[in-house]
Amino acid sequence: MTAIHYVGACDHTGYGTAARRMLHGLKNAGVPFSWTPMVPGRAWGMGYVPAGRGACDPDFDAFRRAAVPCDTILVHLVPEYALRWRRLEPDKRLVLYTTWETDLLPRHWRFFLELADMVLVPSTWNKEVFDRADLRVPVEVLPHVALQPRVPAGPPPIRIDRDEFMFLAIDSWTTRKRLRSLIGCFLETFSAQDPVTLVVKTDARSYERSSAMPWSASTAAELAEKAKAKAQEGDRLVEEVVATINQVNSKAEELKADMTELGKQ
């Protein structure tokens, strides 16, 4: 191998974060490489396109299409991009670095995965999932690169009571991640009186069919009102159950008194 042509997302999604860490890993290891950042766009009809001439990442812009002879292209994206890059650079060894969250791969992935000369996944569990698909290409494990965490300066963006139970979701806003359903479920399950907090970390761009973020203060308020009404209905049912129990206890006391009186006779 002379050098690597690395293709990865340049944004704040999971793929984008993993790509930036991979760039650090390649650079720190002294591996010669060039970089094609992929940014959101519609020209290819798949969500991402190669970035234009503008700056993308100042730490790695110098590596963009660097004049180094490459015999291997490493595509760090979902498998659908393998076909495009196989056609763009047919004489290169194509390595596809991807991942999947469940124990069954999407059916259409096989075609794209088998366009690669090798498939890389970030965990042994992922390798087991891909191996069960009985692909005709080798699957190997390459863990995500771990960087030294940076402690942000200043106070935290929100204050959370230490006594509250916190739920945390870190995802891009996509139909597959279903953050819309997550927030709706949280608001319908809990009320303002419950010591719980849901923190959602995402970016300002929606990757759903609508380009606008699907949540607004009014939407959340409507769900909160529904949750409040549901909680009030629950309180009413509890009060009815308690009243019924009290009536049963009262009848039991009356029956006990009657039995005592009969015993005296």
Side-chain angles (χ1 to χ4, degrees):
M1 182 182 71
T2 55
I4 292 175
H5 173 198
Y6 180 71
V7 178
C10 185
D11 59 12
H12 298 291
T13 63
Y15 271 99
T17 300
R20 194 169 197 281
R21 293 183 174 188
M22 175 63 78
L23 289 169
H24 277 285
L26 293 171
K27 181 179 177 181
N28 294 341
V31 177
F33 71 95
S34 65
W35 173 44
T36 295
M38 300 290 286
V39 297
R42 300 180 179 179
W44 284 12
M46 294 189 291
Y48 284 95
V49 295
R53 295 179 178 273
C56 186
D57 189 323
D59 290 339
F60 299 102
D61 279 339
F63 293 91
R64 291 172 62 176
R65 302 304 295 174
V68 292
C70 301
D71 58 6
T72 299
I73 177 171
L74 175 55
V75 178
H76 192 172
L77 292 164
V78 292
E80 286 85 349
Y81 289 88
L83 178 59
R84 173 73 67 159
W85 285 103
R86 175 60 86 187
R87 288 175 173 173
L88 287 174
E89 302 194 21
D91 58 331
K92 304 290 177 62
R93 180 171 183 253
L94 175 61
V95 178
L96 179 65
Y97 190 13
T98 191
T99 187
W100 186 244
E101 298 99 327
T102 71
D103 58 359
L104 185 65
L105 297 181
R107 185 176 301 177
H108 72 281
W109 271 25
R110 172 181 292 277
F111 169 76
F112 299 107
L113 290 168
E114 292 183 342
L115 291 174
D117 297 293
M118 174 182 287
V119 174
L120 299 178
V121 293
S123 68
T124 53
W125 178 80
N126 243 190
K127 176 173 166 50
E128 292 172 1
V129 172
F130 280 67
D131 283 344
R132 283 200 296 272
D134 196 25
L135 301 174
R136 292 179 293 180
V137 294
V139 179
E140 301 295 341
V141 176
L142 178 62
H144 287 148
V145 175
L147 300 179
Q148 184 70 24
R150 292 181 296 177
V151 179
I158 57 175
R159 190 187 70 82
I160 300 175
D161 194 321
R162 290 183 177 273
D163 295 330
E164 290 192 357
F165 189 95
M166 185 179 75
F167 299 91
L168 175 63
I170 305 176
D171 282 309
S172 54
W173 199 287
T174 64
T175 302
R176 183 162 57 87
K177 299 298 184 181
R178 299 182 67 82
L179 288 179
R180 178 199 297 267
S181 298
L182 171 66
I183 295 173
C185 179
F186 179 84
L187 291 174
E188 291 181 358
T189 302
F190 301 105
S191 70
Q193 287 70 45
D194 294 313
V196 295
T197 297
L198 170 64
V199 176
V200 178
K201 184 178 179 182
T202 186
D203 53 20
R205 184 176 187 269
S206 170
Y207 295 89
E208 294 182 323
R209 290 186 180 276
S210 171
S211 59
M213 289 299 288
W215 284 97
S216 63
S218 60
T219 306
E222 291 175 5
L223 276 173
E225 284 299 317
K226 290 182 181 180
K228 181 179 178 181
K230 186 175 181 179
Q232 291 174 343
E233 176 66 14
D235 291 341
R236 186 185 64 78
L237 291 175
V238 170
E239 291 175 358
E240 290 182 358
V241 170
V242 171
T244 301
I245 292 174
N246 289 336
Q247 290 177 3
V248 171
N249 288 338
S250 177
K251 291 294 184 182
E253 289 296 327
E254 293 178 6
L255 181 59
K256 181 179 179 181
D258 291 343
M259 295 296 291
T260 301
E261 188 65 28
L262 287 173
K264 291 180 180 180
Q265 298 177 1

